[in-house]
Amino acid sequence: MYGNFSVCFSARKRRVHGMLKLYYGLNEEGKTVDQAESMNPCDINGTHFDPEVYLNKLRRECSLGELMDQESCMVKQIRSLDSDMQTLVYENYNKFISATDTIRKMKNDFKKMEDEMDCLSTNMAAITEFSAHISGTLQDQHAQITKLSGVHTLLRKLQFLFELPARLNKCLELQAYSQAVSSHRRARCVLQQYSHMPSFRGIQDDCHAIMDKLAQELRQKFRDGGSSAKDLSECVELLLQLDEPAEELCDKFLIHAQSRLEANLRGLEAETDILEFIDRGCNEFVSSLCLVIASYQELFVNRPQEGNLASKNIPHMAIGKLHAFVDAMATCYFSLVERRIQEEKSVGDNSLLVRALDRFHRRLQAVAKLLPGSAVPSQGTEIVVRAARERIQQYLAALQSFYLDSLRDVRQALAAPRLGGSSAGGELLSSLSASILNQIKSVMASVQLFTAKDITFSNKPYFKGEFCSQGVRESLVVNFIKFVCQSSRQFCESVGDRGGSTPPALLLLLSRLCLDYETSTITYILTLTDEQFLVQHRSPVTAVAALCGEAREAAQKLLNHYVKVQGLIISQMLRKSVETRDWVNTIEPRNVRAVMKRVVEDTTSIDVQVSLLYEEGTRKAHSSDSSKRTFSVYSGSRQQTRYAPSYTPSAAMDTNFLSNIHKLFSERIDIFSPVEFNKVSVVTGIIKISLKTFLECVRLRTFGRYGLQQIQVDCNYLQMYLWRFVSDENLVHFLLDEIVGSTAHRCLDPAPMEQSVIEVICERG
Amino acid sequence: MTEEELIPTSSSLLSFSLFPCCRPLSVSLSRSPSLSPPLFLSPPLSFPQIHIIDFDDENNIISKSVLLHQAGEIWHISASPADKAVLSTCYNKTSESRVVTCGAVWRMPPEWESGSHESPDDPHNSHNPQNLELLCHLDNSAHGNASSVLWEPMGDGTRVISLADNHALLWDLTESSTQATISSSATLEGKGQLKFTSGKWGPHHNCTQLATANDTAIRGWDLRTMSQIYCIENAHGQLVRDLDFNPNKQYYLASCGDDCKVKFWDVRNINEPVKSLEEHSHWVWSVRYNHSHDQLVLTGSSDSRVILSNMVSISSEPFGHLVDDDDLSDGEDNHQYDKSKEPLQDSIISTYEEHEDSVYAVEWSSADPWLFASLSYDGRLVINRVPRALKYHILL
């Protein structure tokens, strides 16, 4: 009952306590509780146990039975405690007895040992006495021995000194220079120190003489140059140790190296093949150069600094000399290489050159590794860049000459009598453009070698950027296209307009070529270039549109020129035919003049020629009787005017008025106007020029009656055949009308021929 | 006489029609101060006559008188520099169905000289045209057809050159011009039938130079020795049609031809033209320097156009008048002015397209340097003025 309460209480208290603790953040659980428990005076095992309190408590709280139980329990516990105590006491007693025995035995042993210690101390005293006695006797002899050994060492050193000249001589004889130098070094200070004594002085002088001789010999050997690099380096090392001035040595070393390198270069000059040339250059010159650099650096730059040498700052001076030397040698080599590369003119196979350049460039990297600050590799790269540029120029020149050659071929083919069908123009054009395109492609393939991945210099910024955009795209491709346009234009400006030296067919062909370039080829080539070279347009490049414009301009100019030339040829025929005839006294026309037939024939052949290269083009609708039109202008009122010898202007004005009205409604004809890119426009242009010439020539002549009639017949004939060639037949009609009208004006006796008669004559041919 | 229609178009001063088939046009050197000089025109073939057009600049009035030229169709006409009543012609003479071109010197009837200018509205006057009075023939059948007759520039009207086939003949006229004698002659020699097509008497070097054109070549002659001084072979691709000397700059010569080009030459270097223009689309028949402002060059072509060019760079005033332009910058035609202010480079000033047919002749007025006339085959004569903006630009 109590236990339950207590448990319950304590549990509750703990809970409250826990909450408080939680609130204050304390963590001392159980401490107070323990204390309370241990302080409990009723705890029979506790330290603060109070039998009085305990008894009172029991008496107060417990029943009699319970008290009885409690008492018997307590008696039982007391009994067991008593027995435990008894056994403990027994055990401890035995142990105490054995300990007492042991102590007694130890007392005996210590007494014996004390005796032995006494004996030892007396013996030690005797030994000490003896020892003192001995050392007293040996004192003198020891001092003597020390002195003797000192003398011995000195004597040995002296002997070395005295033997030194002989030894050095022997070394000299055996050429064991390094041994001699090390011996001399060892003795040098001593001799210096005791040089005031005559004997030492003699030795020193001897040694100096010998060492001078040795140095002489070393220098001689150094100068001879026949020795290997390793020997040389040994020489240099020894000389340095002999206090030779380092600067002089550097110079000598480099001069010596220079002679060998120059020999290499001389050997190179004989080489013919570019690849072998570069190979040899790499293997001989560049590798010896590397060797020189390496050994030089080992000798002068990287050697451990010792003693007084350190103060002279040799490496700094030596590096400076080395740079100057390497630069000078490299310049010689580079000039040789450049000369050689420039000789490489044949554009057939680019791969050899590229490979050679690659090797050249690759080997120079070794120099870069050996001599980090050197300008040589960058100069080498520049040479490669220059070579690449040069190459592009050469390819451009080659392309240009190829183009001119093919033009020459085309010209010959055009001049040659036609064997096969008449389709020569079209075939020539396609073969020409195909061969040019092929050539461009092959050139691009060759040039592309410069940017191949396995070529060391292809990752240089120049080859990634400028080479592609400025070099290949601009200098090569764009320039070539420009050249094509330019050279085409030059054909138009050829000396003398009298047909020039250029055959008209070539003009036509070139014009079509330029037009094709404008429509497709330029775009194709440039796209191909951009793709193949991954051109990044960092710098401004020529736009495709600009090139196309140029090509179109050239095409237009060529076509205009073609029209002009062909028109001129026909014009000349017509002009001669008008100018050379006596039109006043001519006979009655019986047939069409041969010139007119010739004109029609030529026009037909031009039409055929043009149709091979250009499309038909559009023309206005024909009237039903295009070939048959009468020229009415000269008849009627104008005729009447002629017969009125007065100058009454009214009638004249009528005709004039009529003709002016007519002109008002017809468009002005531009004779030498630009033509369109089609057949009809071209032929129309030619016919316009020819007929206009005819008109102007007629106006300069005076005609008789039959002269007028002949012109009528001729014009009718032209009308019959020319209408089909032109875009607007009214144009031909108008011009022929003008011709007949002007002839009538210029006629002394204008009596026109009957239209029916004209037609009969014309149809008879 | 004719119904001269005055067609005031936007750009041209005036234009009107005459007989069709007109060719020659010439301006005499009248010194009349108030009136601009008369123009001589010649209609063709069956009505050989000379029209004298008088243009009153201030009132825009045109008066015309007609003189008959009975001898035949006129191909070339030029006025004496000394006597404004005297003129020379080259004309076709048809005899026995043969056409021969002759040269002659004529005097205009005194009525005209007195200055009785009839108004164009008065038709009666022109019904009684007067004949020209023949002074002398410049004829020498041995020398063939005359293509042109040239008076000595600024001379006293006593020296004349006629070009006949391949001969250049220098004539001396008497005081009254009634008699002509050949004083010297030069002959063009070479292969084929050579023929002078045109010529010009140079005003420089004391009038001792003559320039002629035959086929594609231009030749210069020294009149003192009658020998050739230079020859520009292939001056043009085709026939050379006309020549003119720069009046203010020695050695400079303009030529035009069938290759549609106008070329300017420095005869001291005949390998290369100084300048070449290709603006026309057909044969260029006539080229004329302005008499006082030689940067103004007029050309007429059978493409029916007349082109006025400003050839500043090769003129005698290549830098213009060096006056600063602050005080000129305002004005009503500012826009046009600004445009014309810039060119110290050569440019086309304007293209006149009033003509419907080939233009065979263009001439500057000799009294008013800003006035010029052009004549086309259909008989239309157009008188134009240099654009005012340009005029001020040149003058100021």
Side-chain angles (χ1 to χ4, degrees):
Chain A
M1 199 176 136
Y2 168 72
N4 275 350
F5 171 75
S6 153
V7 167
C8 182
F9 174 75
S10 83
R12 197 167 145 216
K13 192 181 174 190
R14 193 172 292 139
R15 199 161 62 234
V16 172
H17 207 81
M19 283 162 76
L20 277 170
K21 265 197 297 190
L22 217 77
Y23 182 77
Y24 291 108
L26 296 168
N27 198 10
E28 293 168 295
E29 190 176 2
K31 226 176 186 175
T32 47
V33 180
D34 286 343
Q35 217 167 8
E37 273 169 8
S38 60
M39 292 293 281
N40 193 356
C42 303
D43 184 2
I44 203 159
N45 294 324
T47 44
H48 299 272
F49 179 64
D50 189 346
E52 212 52 45
V53 177
Y54 183 65
L55 208 57
N56 286 340
K57 190 183 166 199
L58 278 180
R59 258 197 309 237
R60 215 175 30 242
E61 289 175 359
C62 301
S63 61
L64 185 66
E66 276 168 348
L67 278 174
M68 293 296 285
D69 289 347
Q70 188 85 23
E71 193 216 357
S72 63
C73 169
M74 203 169 288
V75 168
K76 218 183 281 172
Q77 280 178 359
I78 290 169
R79 265 189 210 139
S80 75
L81 279 172
D82 278 343
S83 68
D84 283 352
M85 189 120 76
Q86 265 177 1
T87 44
L88 276 173
V89 168
Y90 282 131
E91 276 174 12
N92 284 335
Y93 184 72
N94 282 340
K95 281 176 188 166
F96 182 74
I97 301 239
S98 69
T100 315
D101 286 351
T102 311
I103 288 168
R104 195 179 294 140
K105 206 171 152 194
M106 272 169 69
K107 235 179 208 170
N108 285 334
D109 288 351
F110 272 115
K111 194 166 254 171
K112 212 177 355 175
M113 210 162 76
E114 208 169 302
D115 295 345
E116 277 171 12
M117 282 302 285
D118 284 344
C119 178
L120 184 66
S121 73
T122 49
N123 282 349
M124 280 306 290
I127 287 170
T128 312
E129 197 180 335
F130 275 121
S131 155
H133 184 65
I134 289 170
S135 57
T137 48
L138 285 182
Q139 190 83 43
D140 293 347
Q141 283 171 8
H142 181 73
Q144 269 182 342
I145 287 170
T146 315
K147 199 179 165 189
L148 279 177
S149 79
V151 170
H152 177 73
T153 326
L154 191 63
L155 281 176
R156 273 182 57 183
K157 279 185 188 166
L158 280 176
Q159 188 188 9
F160 174 76
L161 280 183
F162 286 129
E163 280 175 3
L164 188 60
R167 188 195 290 247
L168 287 178
N169 271 332
K170 199 171 182 192
C171 284
L172 204 56
E173 268 170 41
L174 293 172
Q175 299 201 326
Y177 301 119
S178 59
Q179 209 184 333
V181 171
S182 67
S183 306
H184 178 246
R185 253 171 32 137
R186 272 196 289 163
R188 196 160 48 179
C189 319
V190 182
L191 289 173
Q192 193 68 38
Q193 199 179 343
Y194 296 104
S195 57
H196 57 276
M197 295 165 77
S199 56
F200 285 106
R201 180 155 211 130
I203 293 171
Q204 193 184 16
D205 290 348
D206 283 355
C207 285
H208 270 304
I210 293 167
M211 288 319 283
D212 282 349
K213 202 170 151 196
L214 181 108
Q216 207 68 40
E217 228 164 281
L218 279 174
R219 272 190 224 119
Q220 184 61 41
K221 191 175 167 191
F222 190 71
R223 213 173 292 131
D224 276 351
S227 45
S228 69
K230 205 178 156 202
D231 285 350
L232 265 181
S233 63
E234 201 182 291
C235 268
V236 169
E237 198 163 352
L238 293 177
L239 283 168
L240 275 177
Q241 283 176 1
L242 286 175
D243 275 349
E244 283 286 313
E247 210 163 315
E248 209 172 293
L249 280 181
C250 288
D251 285 345
K252 278 186 186 159
F253 183 85
L254 290 177
I255 286 168
H256 178 234
Q258 186 175 4
S259 66
R260 270 185 301 161
L261 289 173
E262 272 169 0
N264 282 341
L265 285 180
R266 270 195 298 282
L268 272 183
E269 280 174 36
E271 212 51 66
T272 49
D273 184 64
I274 177 82
L275 200 57
E276 276 176 34
F277 172 84
I278 293 286
D279 259 352
R280 205 166 150 188
C282 289
N283 291 339
E284 292 180 359
F285 177 81
V286 179
S287 41
S288 349
L289 187 68
C290 287
L291 205 65
V292 167
I293 294 171
S295 53
Y296 184 91
Q297 281 182 328
E298 210 168 289
L299 283 178
F300 298 107
V301 184
N302 297 335
R303 55 200 308 267
Q305 305 281 307
E306 20 177 90
N308 51 355
L309 286 179
S311 62
K312 291 182 186 167
N313 200 4
I314 291 174
H316 186 71
M317 178 274 301
I319 286 261
K321 279 192 185 296
L322 181 62
H323 273 289
F325 170 76
V326 170
D327 284 351
M329 287 320 291
T331 313
C332 292
Y333 177 54
F334 287 159
S335 70
L336 208 61
V337 169
E338 264 193 292
R339 210 163 59 222
R340 186 65 193 78
I341 288 174
Q342 271 166 11
E343 278 169 27
E344 202 61 16
K345 288 262 193 289
S346 87
V347 287
D349 189 8
N350 199 30
S351 62
L352 271 182
L353 179 73
V354 173
R355 245 162 57 207
L357 285 175
D358 179 38
R359 218 163 282 183
F360 170 71
H361 186 259
R362 203 189 295 266
R363 287 304 289 260
L364 284 180
Q365 302 310 311
V367 179
K369 267 179 215 146
L370 278 173
L371 203 59
S374 169
V376 170
S378 62
Q379 279 172 0
T381 313
E382 263 168 44
I383 285 181
V384 173
V385 167
R386 268 205 293 279
R389 276 207 193 108
E390 189 95 351
R391 205 66 181 155
I392 283 177
Q393 289 307 316
Q394 284 169 4
Y395 273 116
L396 179 63
L399 267 182
Q400 289 174 350
S401 70
F402 174 82
Y403 174 71
L404 293 180
D405 284 349
S406 23
L407 278 194
R408 198 173 308 126
D409 291 348
V410 166
R411 195 187 275 225
Q412 274 166 6
L414 285 173
R418 293 201 180 156
L419 304 168
S422 54
S423 64
E427 276 168 20
L428 277 174
L429 175 70
S430 59
S431 75
L432 175 67
S433 73
S435 67
I436 290 173
L437 202 60
N438 278 339
Q439 192 69 15
I440 290 177
K441 278 182 184 167
S442 76
V443 162
M444 286 217 285
S446 300
V447 172
Q448 211 180 4
L449 290 174
F450 278 109
T451 59
K453 282 217 170 53
D454 56 336
I455 302 294
T456 46
F457 51 75
S458 67
N459 59 0
K460 293 274 169 203
Y462 170 77
F463 282 95
K464 277 189 164 168
E466 206 194 333
F467 178 76
C468 294
S469 63
Q470 289 304 312
V472 177
R473 192 180 191 274
E474 293 295 298
S475 305
L476 190 63
V477 180
V478 172
N479 270 358
F480 176 66
I481 293 170
K482 278 185 179 162
F483 171 78
V484 169
C485 297
Q486 193 114 26
S487 68
S488 305
R489 276 207 297 273
Q490 272 165 8
F491 282 114
C492 306
E493 287 147 14
S494 55
V495 277
D497 288 1
R498 287 177 175 276
S501 53
T502 320
L506 183 63
L507 291 175
L508 192 67
L509 195 104
L510 283 177
S511 130
R512 181 70 215 194
L513 184 74
C514 287
L515 192 66
D516 286 347
Y517 266 65
E518 189 253 332
T519 49
S520 59
T521 317
I522 287 178
T523 321
Y524 172 70
I525 294 174
L526 285 183
T527 316
L528 195 72
T529 316
D530 288 357
E531 276 170 7
Q532 284 195 354
F533 289 90
L534 302 168
V535 175
Q536 294 146 346
H537 300 293
R538 248 176 264 143
S539 45
V541 292
T542 316
V544 176
L547 276 183
C548 287
E550 204 167 317
R552 191 179 180 84
E553 203 182 301
Q556 182 76 58
K557 209 163 176 185
L558 282 164
L559 200 60
N560 287 350
H561 194 61
Y562 172 76
V563 168
K564 220 167 172 175
V565 168
Q566 292 285 33
L568 190 66
I569 293 170
I570 295 180
S571 294
Q572 292 294 352
M573 278 194 310
L574 286 169
R575 174 187 233 154
K576 285 271 156 5
S577 80
V578 175
E579 279 177 359
T580 50
R581 200 170 171 128
D582 180 3
W583 289 100
V584 180
N585 297 318
T586 186
I587 52 157
E588 190 171 0
R590 297 188 187 284
N591 41 27
V592 182
R593 281 188 300 150
V595 169
M596 296 303 155
K597 291 180 183 166
R598 183 78 198 285
V599 167
V600 171
E601 275 168 24
D602 280 10
T603 313
T604 313
S605 73
I606 288 170
D607 187 66
V608 171
Q609 195 178 45
V610 178
S611 70
L612 291 175
L613 293 168
Y614 278 100
E615 292 76 27
E616 177 76 18
T618 52
R619 60 174 88 215
K620 291 190 182 166
H622 300 263
S623 61
S624 54
D625 56 345
S626 299
S627 60
K628 295 180 181 177
R629 287 179 84 152
T630 54
F631 304 107
S632 55
V633 178
Y634 63 87
S635 59
S637 58
R638 198 175 283 195
Q639 204 174 331
Q640 286 163 16
T641 320
R642 291 279 157 255
Y643 292 119
S646 80
Y647 44 86
T648 44
S650 56
M653 281 317 297
D654 279 348
T655 46
N656 198 20
F657 187 68
L658 276 178
S659 114
N660 278 349
I661 292 285
H662 179 78
K663 284 172 185 169
L664 214 59
F665 286 103
S666 60
E667 281 174 35
R668 187 190 284 274
I669 302 166
D670 274 337
I671 304 304
F672 291 121
S673 58
V675 287
E676 288 161 28
F677 293 107
N678 60 55
K679 188 194 82 180
V680 169
S681 176
V682 170
V683 181
T684 305
I686 294 168
I687 289 175
K688 265 196 309 196
I689 292 172
S690 313
L691 292 185
K692 180 74 178 179
T693 307
F694 194 12
L695 174 64
E696 293 296 339
C697 290
V698 159
R699 285 181 179 177
L700 289 171
R701 303 286 296 175
T702 308
F703 293 85
R705 171 195 292 197
Y706 297 128
L708 169 63
Q709 291 182 355
Q710 181 69 59
I711 294 288
Q712 271 184 289
V713 169
D714 290 348
C715 285
N716 198 70
Y717 180 81
L718 290 179
Q719 170 69 28
M720 272 169 65
Y721 290 98
L722 291 185
W723 64 268
R724 69 190 80 201
F725 298 120
V726 298
S727 59
D728 183 6
E729 59 179 296
N730 285 328
L731 191 90
V732 171
H733 184 75
F734 171 73
L735 279 168
L736 290 173
D737 223 18
E738 277 287 314
I739 293 170
V740 177
S742 296
T743 315
H745 275 303
R746 306 284 320 146
C747 187
L748 298 169
D749 177 19
M753 198 178 232
E754 282 292 318
Q755 182 63 26
S756 56
V757 182
I758 296 174
E759 274 167 26
V760 168
I761 293 175
C762 284
E763 266 151 39
R764 209 170 53 202
Chain B
M1 74 170 230
T2 55
E3 304 167 44
E4 284 162 354
E5 323 159 50
L6 284 166
I7 310 168
T9 56
S10 56
S11 60
S12 77
L13 195 55
L14 57 96
S15 73
F16 56 91
S17 294
L18 300 162
F19 279 92
C21 319
C22 294
R23 215 169 263 276
L25 169 70
S26 169
V27 179
S28 89
L29 296 166
S30 158
R31 294 187 179 88
S32 137
S34 66
L35 294 173
S36 73
L39 305 160
F40 300 104
L41 306 167
S42 157
L45 210 54
S46 19
F47 319 99
Q49 47 182 278
I50 290 177
H51 292 219
I52 301 157
I53 313 282
D54 226 325
F55 173 60
D56 184 350
D57 194 6
E58 276 158 20
N59 306 314
N60 242 14
I61 293 172
I62 282 197
S63 45
K64 183 175 92 169
S65 45
V66 177
L67 298 170
L68 280 185
H69 186 277
Q70 301 285 27
E73 181 193 19
I74 303 171
W75 283 92
H76 188 267
I77 197 166
S78 59
S80 160
D83 187 347
K84 63 178 173 177
V86 175
L87 56 88
S88 68
T89 58
C90 291
Y91 57 92
N92 272 3
K93 198 161 70 183
T94 316
S95 58
E96 299 155 13
S97 64
R98 273 197 62 214
V99 181
V100 188
T101 316
C102 314
V105 181
W106 310 82
R107 174 177 291 281
M108 285 185 275
E111 288 81 2
W112 181 82
E113 267 184 284
S114 65
S116 63
H117 302 297
E118 61 275 56
S119 79
D121 302 326
D122 180 9
H124 304 290
N125 203 334
S126 56
H127 276 289
N128 299 312
Q130 290 157 313
N131 283 317
L132 284 166
E133 180 194 336
L134 177 72
L135 292 179
C136 64
H137 284 288
L138 299 173
D139 223 358
N140 193 328
S141 51
H143 291 121
N145 295 328
S147 67
S148 53
V149 175
L150 311 167
W151 293 85
E152 181 181 27
M154 277 91 76
D156 53 3
T158 57
R159 272 150 67 89
V160 163
I161 289 173
S162 73
L163 299 175
D165 278 353
N166 59 340
H167 303 287
L169 309 170
L170 180 61
W171 302 80
D172 274 335
L173 299 181
T174 53
E175 191 84 13
S176 54
S177 304
T178 47
Q179 218 176 353
T181 47
I182 296 178
S183 65
S184 57
S185 73
T187 307
L188 187 60
E189 276 158 7
K191 271 189 272 178
Q193 276 206 324
L194 295 174
K195 207 173 137 188
F196 287 121
T197 50
S198 70
K200 205 83 184 177
W201 197 328
H204 304 295
H205 310 292
N206 210 12
C207 300
T208 52
Q209 279 196 18
L210 173 72
T212 61
N214 65 298
D215 203 16
T216 61
I218 298 173
R219 285 161 206 275
W221 305 84
D222 186 340
L223 294 176
R224 293 167 297 190
T225 58
M226 283 315 246
S227 59
Q228 183 177 311
I229 4 179
Y230 57 85
C231 174
I232 310 172
E233 297 279 2
N234 285 323
H236 283 264
Q238 301 173 49
L239 201 67
V240 180
R241 290 275 169 196
D242 198 14
L243 297 167
D244 199 19
F245 279 97
N246 187 324
N248 301 333
K249 208 174 177 186
Q250 299 184 55
Y251 308 113
Y252 272 70
L253 185 68
S255 67
C256 60
D258 286 3
D259 56 359
C260 312
K261 286 178 184 157
V262 179
K263 292 186 178 177
F264 298 88
W265 304 88
D266 182 339
V267 297
R268 291 166 297 185
N269 175 21
I270 57 172
N271 299 320
E272 195 95 34
V274 181
K275 200 98 189 173
S276 178
L277 291 181
E278 192 169 4
E279 302 294 340
H280 285 291
S281 72
H282 202 244
W283 305 351
V284 187
W285 283 80
S286 180
V287 60
R288 285 290 179 271
Y289 276 111
N290 188 298
H291 300 304
S292 24
H293 304 286
D294 54 282
Q295 59 265 55
L296 301 177
V297 175
L298 204 57
T299 51
S301 153
S302 42
D303 64 0
S304 320
R305 292 190 181 92
V306 174
I307 294 182
L308 178 62
S309 324
N310 191 5
M311 305 303 293
V312 185
S313 69
I314 52 169
S315 75
S316 57
E317 300 176 339
F319 306 109
H321 278 273
L322 300 171
V323 182
D324 42 38
D325 42 352
D326 306 278
D327 47 343
L328 307 169
S329 54
D330 48 9
E332 61 271 72
D333 45 9
N334 227 341
H335 174 66
Q336 225 182 335
Y337 183 77
D338 284 346
K339 256 166 70 181
S340 63
K341 184 71 200 168
E342 288 161 25
L344 271 182
Q345 67 226 39
D346 306 337
S347 60
I348 298 291
I349 297 160
S350 58
T351 304
Y352 300 93
E353 308 207 357
E354 281 90 16
H355 291 287
E356 302 287 353
D357 208 327
S358 308
V359 180
Y360 291 127
V362 289
E363 269 301 351
W364 288 97
S365 160
S366 54
D368 181 351
W370 311 110
L371 213 58
F372 60 89
S374 54
L375 183 67
S376 61
Y377 183 75
D378 56 9
R380 178 174 289 180
L381 175 81
V382 177
I383 299 179
N384 267 304
R385 218 193 281 278
V386 174
R388 194 184 302 174
L390 179 74
K391 174 175 165 180
Y392 291 153
H393 180 67
I394 292 174
L395 283 179
L396 299 174

